[in-house]
Amino acid sequence: MRAAEIFLEATVKYPEYSISWNNAGIGLSVFTGQHEKSLPYFRQAICIDPSFAMAHYFYGTALYELGNYPESEVSFKRAIELDPAYSRAKNNLASVYLRTKRYKKALRILEELARETPNDFLALNNLAAAHFYNKDLKSAEATFVMLTELFPDRHIAQFNLAIVYIHRGRRTEAIRVQRKLQQTGSELAEILYEGLFGNKVLSFRQQ
């Protein structure tokens, strides 16, 4: 991708600026999925400017994608320390907690985030998952239902709602969701079908 190449070239032209290194890391990690290769660029950005919250955030995101949850947690916490209003960092920290089964910690962050950014799809989706893993299926269902109303074209919310229906023993409603997804041509319809009729273990989707 040309944008990633331009960002890499900027580290040669402007090596003294942390933003050059951070953007190069974003180009590699976000644009081309080269998370491992992006890490030295984020480290250099942080080395030049340790108070650069965005660099800590994207460094943590690359580490998260690589499955390095302990180090990504440290990076997200640092980003939040530097910028207490950094909602994306809070959401990603909650994702780390969900992945590492610290569900109560995730729920606390996500409930706060829901008050701060009430229309953030990813945060609300994580909040519903946190309710589910804390065995509050009623709240999980209510949050996913709200998401399907706020974002009717986001098939992930419908898919996740169907999982809650299955766990609540409301198979008919889950089948109705599966058929609705099938009508839209969503690939999630087939996955849900395998869960309903093929004993496939279903997991919540984040994005």
Side-chain angles (χ1 to χ4, degrees):
M1 183 177 288
R2 182 55 184 157
E5 294 173 2
I6 293 172
F7 289 148
L8 288 171
E9 290 169 3
T11 63
V12 177
K13 293 181 179 178
Y14 311 104
E16 69 276 22
Y17 296 119
S18 60
I19 189 70
S20 299
W21 296 92
N22 184 65
N23 285 348
I26 292 173
L28 290 167
S29 181
V30 178
F31 293 168
T32 65
Q34 299 181 77
H35 308 300
E36 188 75 48
K37 193 174 180 179
S38 74
L39 298 180
Y41 292 91
F42 293 128
R43 291 192 195 105
Q44 182 63 18
I46 293 167
C47 182
I48 294 171
D49 183 2
S51 65
F52 192 2
M54 186 185 294
H56 287 281
Y57 165 78
F58 279 106
Y59 182 50
T61 300
L63 290 166
Y64 179 88
E65 293 295 338
L66 291 166
N68 188 340
Y69 302 129
E71 288 191 43
S72 67
E73 178 179 345
V74 172
S75 295
F76 292 140
K77 285 181 175 178
R78 182 60 179 147
I80 296 166
E81 287 173 5
L82 293 167
D83 182 359
Y86 207 150
S87 60
R88 292 171 68 185
K90 292 179 182 178
N91 185 55
N92 280 16
L93 177 59
S95 293
V96 171
Y97 289 150
L98 289 174
R99 286 295 180 99
T100 54
K101 300 183 179 181
R102 288 174 285 171
Y103 303 131
K104 292 189 184 302
K105 280 191 171 186
L107 185 60
R108 283 195 293 270
I109 291 176
L110 292 163
E111 286 180 330
E112 175 187 340
L113 196 52
R115 291 190 290 271
E116 295 173 358
T117 56
N119 293 317
D120 185 326
F121 176 85
L122 294 178
L124 289 172
N125 191 56
N126 268 351
L127 174 60
H131 282 309
F132 178 88
Y133 290 123
N134 279 290
K135 304 186 187 308
D136 185 355
L137 302 190
K138 183 177 180 180
S139 294
E141 178 183 337
T143 306
F144 280 134
V145 167
M146 178 179 67
L147 271 177
T148 62
E149 294 170 351
L150 288 173
F151 305 94
D153 296 328
R154 301 295 289 268
H155 297 158
I156 288 171
Q158 298 174 41
F159 177 87
N160 289 344
L161 174 60
I163 293 177
V164 176
Y165 284 150
I166 291 169
H167 281 271
R168 299 197 73 183
R170 289 152 60 185
R171 187 179 176 84
T172 300
E173 290 172 84
I175 292 172
R176 188 179 301 120
V177 172
Q178 190 275 332
R179 288 174 177 166
K180 183 178 179 181
L181 288 172
Q182 192 172 37
Q183 290 172 355
T184 65
S186 172
E187 62 181 16
L188 294 174
E190 183 177 349
I191 298 171
L192 187 54
Y193 182 89
E194 292 174 357
L196 284 163
F197 304 106
N199 296 320
K200 180 183 176 67
V201 177
L202 299 174
S203 300
F204 288 123
R205 299 298 174 100
Q206 288 185 298
Q207 54 181 319

